[in-house]
């Protein structure tokens, strides 16, 4: 098991923030954990440690938002995500730590800039099978590599202007399906060694706490302020990873 205090200084707040985001704010910051943990360990190891924890969070989230989710969207997104996962598994061995740091950092920075700079509200778009299939595939690939499927999924979902509860329920079901599908290739690639699984087991104690706290905050805390703070942190960690990728 990892014993470095610096790792837990990064991992504990990351898991709580991800749990809160999944439990009450649509899970858009699920990608925050790997960038934070990658400041101390390799992105590949961070992703392996996070996957069992994400699966546990998904179970709590599915229970909290049971009965919600837009099935016509999911019928397009989930099969496309499976193709993306397969592509991610086949290309995993060709990506070094520097490649992964660049991918994680670029997604974090670009997603944050899009959040800050995107134009105001527009008319809702209608669901599209071609667009849903494309962004579902990208979601599966980026989710497999570094659990960063939130940005591409939001690029497709946010313009649809779904009702808040329906949007959160759809994202929870989507990522629950993706995360449980990822368990098989992660196992085949040897990602679940004793050190990673034992570290996951310790950190997993925080998973239901974070998700239930997010569910409680869903109706009590300003979503705007939560995201303002977290996106500043996400931009900072993404920038640091990009710096490491280019100077390593």
């Amino acid at each position: 098991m990892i014993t470095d205090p610096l790792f837990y200084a990064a991992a504990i707040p990351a898991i709580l923030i991800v749990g809160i985001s999944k439990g009450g704010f649509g899970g858009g910051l699920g990608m925050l954990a790997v960038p934070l943990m990658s400041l101390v360990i390799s992105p590949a190891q961070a992703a392996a440690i996070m996957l069992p924890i994400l699966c546990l969070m998904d179970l709590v989230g599915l229970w909290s938002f049971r009965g919600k989710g837009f099935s016509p969207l999911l019928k397009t997104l989930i099969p496309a995500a499976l193709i993306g996962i397969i592509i991610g598994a086949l290309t995993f061995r060709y990506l070094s730590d520097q490649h992964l740091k660049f991918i994680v950092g670029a997604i974090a920075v670009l997603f944050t800039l899009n959040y800050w700079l995107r134009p105001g509200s527009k008319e809702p778009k209608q669901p599209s099978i071609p667009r849903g299939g494309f962004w579902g595939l990208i979601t599966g690939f980026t989710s497999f590599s570094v659990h960063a499927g939130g940005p591409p999924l939001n690029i497709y979902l946010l313009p649809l202007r779904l009702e808040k509860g329906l949007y959160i329920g759809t994202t929870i079901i989507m990522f629950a399906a993706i995360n449980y599908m990822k368990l098989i290739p992660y196992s085949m690639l040897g990602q679940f060694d004793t050190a990673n699984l034992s570290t996951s087991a310790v950190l997993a104690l925080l998973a239901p706490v974070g998700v239930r706290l997010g569910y409680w905050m869903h109706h009590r805390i300003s979503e705007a302020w939560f995201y303002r703070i977290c996106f500043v942190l996400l931009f900072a960690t993404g920038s640091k990873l990009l710096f490491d990728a280019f100077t390593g």
Side-chain angles (χ1 to χ4, degrees):
M1 188 179 74
I2 297 175
T3 57
D4 183 0
L6 289 177
F7 167 76
Y8 291 97
I12 290 173
I15 289 170
L16 287 175
I17 291 172
V18 172
I20 291 170
S21 178
K22 273 184 169 288
F25 300 92
L29 291 179
M31 61 175 291
L32 180 62
V34 172
L36 274 177
M37 293 163 66
S38 296
L39 298 175
V40 187
I41 62 176
S42 75
Q45 185 178 17
I49 290 171
M50 275 304 302
L51 183 54
I53 299 171
L54 291 173
C55 288
L56 180 58
M57 288 180 177
D58 290 331
L59 290 178
V60 181
L62 286 170
W63 174 256
S64 299
F65 287 89
R66 60 193 179 277
K68 297 186 177 180
F70 194 38
S71 58
L73 290 177
L74 293 168
K75 289 177 181 177
T76 299
L77 289 168
I78 291 177
L82 176 59
I83 297 173
I85 291 170
I86 293 172
I87 295 173
L90 294 176
T91 59
F92 179 80
R93 295 294 187 188
Y94 302 101
L95 298 176
S96 67
D97 282 351
Q98 299 306 113
H99 293 141
L100 291 175
K101 285 183 178 182
F102 175 79
I103 292 172
V104 177
I107 291 174
V109 169
L110 291 174
F111 184 53
T112 306
L113 290 175
N114 177 70
Y115 176 82
W116 286 337
L117 302 176
R118 71 172 182 256
S121 177
K122 296 180 179 179
E123 288 297 317
K125 288 186 177 182
Q126 294 300 313
S128 163
I129 292 178
R131 283 191 291 111
F134 173 78
W135 289 114
L137 186 151
I138 301 299
T139 297
F141 177 78
T142 56
S143 181
F144 178 87
S145 302
V146 287
H147 305 318
L153 182 63
N154 281 331
I155 289 172
Y156 177 61
L157 287 185
L158 289 179
L160 303 181
R161 306 293 180 189
L162 299 175
E163 183 272 325
K164 184 179 179 182
L166 189 63
Y167 164 74
I168 295 175
T170 301
T171 58
I172 286 175
I173 295 171
M174 175 68 170
F175 284 114
I178 287 176
N179 288 331
Y180 278 91
M181 287 191 292
K182 290 190 297 189
L183 289 172
I184 296 175
Y186 265 58
S187 299
M188 295 174 64
L189 290 167
Q191 292 291 85
F192 294 140
D193 59 24
T194 304
N196 289 344
L197 286 177
S198 57
T199 303
S200 295
V202 171
L203 293 172
L205 298 174
L206 298 171
V209 175
V211 176
R212 293 303 296 177
L213 184 59
Y215 184 73
W216 179 83
M217 292 170 63
H218 178 69
H219 300 291
R220 295 172 175 84
I221 303 296
S222 167
E223 181 178 352
W225 274 107
F226 173 78
Y227 274 95
R228 284 171 189 162
I229 295 170
C230 290
F231 272 100
V232 169
L233 181 59
L234 184 61
F235 183 81
T237 54
S239 299
K240 176 62 166 61
L241 289 174
L242 281 177
F243 177 80
D244 292 343
F246 283 113
T247 60

